[in-house]
Amino acid sequence: MLDAHFDLALRCAVRDPQMYVWLVLAGCSGLRCCEIAWMQTTDVEERPDGSALLHIIGKGGRRRTAAAGAGLVQVMRPFLRGPRGPVFTRVSDGRAHTPDRVSQLVNRFLRELDIHETAHSLRHRFGTDYHRIDPDLFRQAALMGHASLDMTRRYTEVSPLESVRYVDELTTRRVSGDWRRGAA
């Protein structure tokens, strides 16, 4: 998903707190629709700095821990009040949304904005954004709940502009003679 599309979706979702939180969970914490739907209030471990660890059940029923920034926790707080149980419930009966329903609602919201990407595209956006900040694929794979680095690579788009910076650094070191002596 393009940055501009994600930004537009977030701006338009401010009037719908649940949709806003879903978009941020997918795009800034890398959660899948099933992880959003299955999240329980007891899965959210708030930290002293305002952030949180999300101990969620993911794909294949595997438990993993994702991170939520302080800003996300703040907008999630109204959903964390009340009895133990699902974080996000249907207005009609108070039961949890299904993963398919979360996906359908997010996808419909995006289409109404003329954004032709899906809820899952937000997870890819997260993978790319996270990699820009932390290029450690092992940490990213664990954070995203991937069993293999190959899967994490599929979620990570490497910017050619980012590569220019590294190639420039390499060239500067080589040309200036500041290269490890004895290296081939």
Side-chain angles (χ1 to χ4, degrees), residues 10-73:
L10 289 174
R11 283 194 311 274
C12 292
V14 294
R15 292 189 189 100
D16 181 347
Q18 180 172 268
M19 181 60 63
Y20 185 85
V21 172
W22 287 358
L23 293 172
V24 177
L25 282 168
C28 297
S29 291
L31 268 61
R32 299 172 176 101
C33 289
C34 65
E35 294 165 340
I36 293 169
W38 296 334
M39 188 185 306
Q40 300 289 305
T41 56
T42 55
D43 294 338
V44 180
E45 177 190 338
E46 291 194 52
R47 315 240 329 126
D49 65 358
S51 66
L53 296 175
L54 308 174
H55 306 286
I56 51 180
I57 297 175
K59 195 172 177 181
R62 290 187 294 268
R63 186 163 285 281
R64 73 181 184 96
T65 300
L72 173 54
V73 174

Side-chain angles (χ1 to χ4, degrees), residues 6-7 33 42 51-52 55 73 95 111 139 142 148 165 170:
F6 187 29
D7 293 342
C33 289
T42 55
S51 66
H55 306 286
V73 174
R95 297 181 68 174
R111 278 192 311 273
R139 191 171 17 253
S148 78
R165 182 180 60 156
L170 174 69

Side-chain angles (χ1 to χ4, degrees), residues 1-7 23 26-30 117-132 140 144 154-157 159:
M1 177 175 289
L2 296 173
D3 285 336
H5 290 172
F6 187 29
D7 293 342
L23 293 172
C28 297
S29 291
E117 288 124 323
T118 64
H120 196 73
S121 300
L122 290 164
R123 190 164 152 77
H124 286 266
R125 173 82 269 143
F126 168 76
T128 296
D129 288 345
Y130 184 85
H131 188 74
R132 284 182 190 152
Q140 185 177 343
M144 295 185 76
R154 291 184 212 168
Y155 280 76
T156 305
E157 182 180 311
S159 164

